[in-house]
Amino acid sequence: MSVKDLQAVVAESVLLERSCKAPYQEMGEMAGSEGMITKWPKAAKRIINGLSMEEGEEAEAMAEKWNNKATPPDIQAKIAESKCANMIEHFATEMFKKARMRVCILSAWKDSQGKLMLGGHDFNEQFGDGESFIKTRDLDSIIMPEWVEYAGEQFDSEDDGEPLMVKSKKRVPRKLVELDEDADGWLILPNTTGWK
């Protein structure tokens, strides 16, 4: 998460604590929508610039604290639940594009209720002619028991129930449309009326 993103989260937290409008309300867009993504920077900047001197100093102190230590557990849980799957997919995609590196990522975090969550993220089938590590190896009986034990130790999990396993959604590649050529070699665009 970049410093600007963190400052926006800090500003949103400060505003929410004071029952002011959140950036989503400011933008009038649904969380995760394309409109929200394009309007977020301006809305966050407008909110940050609209803070009083005292609120600005508080947000700056909070950002400084979060940058040098860690964000509070409730904010970490919110980020893990809403952004981490996409961040992991972006990382895996960039590692393949830039270095032809294949990665399989196991993740662990506590959700907003304090429940231990585990993630298995494998996008290798989406890249070139790759196979999924998770699908081709004995993940459930060999790898996951060790990961569950490790994650439980790292998060001091005293959860009586089994951790919840979350797997990243695979994106289905779109079928390409084949285009015909005219006599001069120019591509002929199809009539798309009625397409979805």
Side-chain angles (χ1 to χ4, degrees), residues 39-106:
K39 292 179 182 177
W40 176 267
K42 278 187 177 179
K45 186 175 182 178
R46 196 166 44 248
I47 289 170
I48 290 169
N49 291 340
L51 295 175
S52 69
M53 181 77 84
E54 183 180 298
E55 288 172 328
E57 288 173 3
E58 184 178 342
E60 197 171 310
M62 196 181 299
E64 182 72 28
K65 180 180 174 184
W66 290 8
N67 283 333
N68 292 327
K69 293 183 181 177
T71 57
D74 60 324
I75 301 295
Q76 289 175 338
K78 181 179 176 184
I79 291 169
E81 292 167 3
S82 65
K83 296 184 181 355
C84 283
N86 288 337
M87 292 167 72
I88 290 170
E89 182 179 9
H90 177 75
F91 169 75
T93 302
E94 288 301 305
M95 292 308 291
F96 182 77
K97 283 181 181 177
K98 303 282 193 291
R100 195 158 174 80
M101 185 180 294
R102 296 194 179 270
V103 296
C104 176
I105 298 173
L106 298 177

Side-chain angles (χ1 to χ4, degrees), residues 4 8 10 22 34 47 52 55 60 63 74 76-77 99 111 114 119 130-131 141 155 165 169 189:
K4 286 184 178 185
V10 170
E34 192 172 321
I47 289 170
S52 69
E55 288 172 328
E60 197 171 310
D74 60 324
Q76 289 175 338
D111 70 4
E131 292 182 340
S141 63
F155 286 94
M165 179 70 178
K169 295 177 184 171
L189 297 177

Side-chain angles (χ1 to χ4, degrees), residues 6 8 30 32 55 59 73 80 112 123 134 136 145 179:
L6 187 54
M30 294 290 295
E55 288 172 328
S112 53
F123 301 97
I134 289 176
T136 59
L179 300 175

Side-chain angles (χ1 to χ4, degrees), residues 89 92-93 96 101-104 121-137 168-173:
E89 182 179 9
T93 302
F96 182 77
M101 185 180 294
R102 296 194 179 270
V103 296
C104 176
H121 313 273
D122 183 349
F123 301 97
N124 289 304
E125 285 181 316
Q126 293 175 213
F127 308 136
D129 57 355
E131 292 182 340
S132 166
F133 176 80
I134 289 176
K135 289 181 182 175
T136 59
R137 300 297 181 270
S168 289
K169 295 177 184 171
K170 304 291 187 278
R171 297 216 168 124
V172 180

Side-chain angles (χ1 to χ4, degrees), residues 181-193:
E181 294 181 7
D182 67 11
D184 296 324
W186 289 90
L187 295 176
I188 302 170
L189 297 177
N191 181 357
T192 59
T193 307

